[in-house]
Amino acid sequence: MTRLTDAVRLPRDFFERPVLDVAPDLLGCVVRHGDVAVRLTEVEAYAGTRDPGSHAFRGPTPRTQVMFGEAGHLYVYFTYGMHWCANLVCGPEGEASAVLLRAGEVVAGETVVAERRPGVVARDRARGPARLTRTLALDRAQDGLDVCAPDSPVVVSAPSEPHEATVRTGPRVGVSGPGGDGTAYPWRFWLEGEPTVSPYRPGVPRRRR
DNA sequence: TTGACGATTAGCT
DNA sequence: GCTAATCGTCAAC
């Protein structure tokens, strides 16, 4: 019984590879939750405990436990008091690497999204990590979800045809810490020429109050 | 128990 | 270009 909405899930071993291999390969892939699907155009890699910019840097906590588990699970966290951001856990179990989903293009469920996000132009509906999670209706309820499980409500699938855009890399957004300007970890990946890629913002530290 | 801060965004000047 | 909003998480006390 094949339904039109069925898509081939990326297998577990896709996510179990090194995070710096998985991240660029996720570009062009489609994340579906319910009726809404988003084609990824921008991601960032976080390399577990060896990466000062990663939530996992200080070791496992109740919040980051998911990152230390099996690859292919969703890590959804809350930030700035109002936003959710979604990651896909990668690499061997225990490494705690993950890919942050930064931006994408809505490719299915436009009607639902238009009702969910009134007044937001199509291009901006998944432009930026918090807007992407809002458009896909991801929040705490999806934290820890195994997207490789056959019955998972969230599906990550390969593109029907490979994208032809150039994959570009650069400093990650909003990451500070030791080695600080972000250039030490140029682990942001995006598809060149995509209008949905979030605008570049230099890693300027925010003013302290 | 407390306090500082953040993988952001929207809205105003 | 600049700042407020807003609250979960974590480290320190």
Side-chain angles (χ1 to χ4, degrees):
Chain A
M1 54 164 192
T2 301
R3 290 171 302 150
L4 194 59
T5 52
D6 284 340
V8 180
R9 286 170 198 272
L10 292 173
R12 179 92 55 210
D13 55 19
F14 175 92
F15 296 103
E16 286 172 335
R17 296 175 299 143
V19 65
L20 293 181
D21 293 341
V22 177
D25 286 354
L26 276 172
L27 294 173
C29 289
V30 173
V31 181
R32 172 182 290 272
H33 183 209
D35 293 329
V36 180
V38 166
R39 172 176 167 265
L40 297 176
T41 57
E42 182 185 4
V43 298
E44 276 177 14
Y46 286 85
T49 51
R50 61 195 161 94
D51 175 3
S54 169
H55 285 178
F57 183 60
R58 297 170 200 278
T61 66
R63 176 176 66 147
T64 60
Q65 194 62 48
V66 176
M67 295 180 76
F68 288 82
E70 188 179 45
H73 289 248
L74 271 175
Y75 166 52
V76 185
Y77 69 92
F78 189 72
T79 190
Y80 288 99
M82 61 186 89
H83 298 302
W84 295 95
C85 296
N87 303 248
L88 284 165
V89 178
C90 297
E93 189 164 341
E95 188 184 278
S97 296
V99 174
L100 169 69
L101 312 182
R102 281 200 58 87
E105 166 197 9
V106 177
V107 292
E110 288 90 346
T111 311
V112 178
V113 174
E115 288 171 7
R116 197 179 279 163
R117 310 293 310 279
V120 180
V121 299
R123 189 198 61 178
D124 288 346
R125 284 176 182 151
R127 191 192 204 201
R131 287 188 284 208
L132 184 147
T133 55
R134 256 181 85 183
T135 287
L136 278 175
L138 298 175
D139 59 24
R140 161 155 291 183
Q142 282 73 41
D143 188 29
L145 200 70
D146 179 7
V147 301
C148 299
D151 59 345
S152 164
V154 176
V155 177
V156 183
S157 54
S160 48
E161 46 191 76
H163 66 77
E164 294 176 1
T166 304
V167 173
R168 305 218 48 187
T169 66
R172 293 177 298 184
V173 177
V175 173
S176 57
D181 56 1
T183 53
Y185 304 93
W187 294 342
R188 176 172 171 241
F189 302 86
W190 69 94
L191 296 179
E192 188 170 52
E194 287 285 343
T196 51
V197 172
S198 47
Y200 174 69
R201 291 213 299 244
V204 176
R206 302 192 324 155
R207 262 191 77 205
R208 301 191 52 135
R209 285 181 296 119

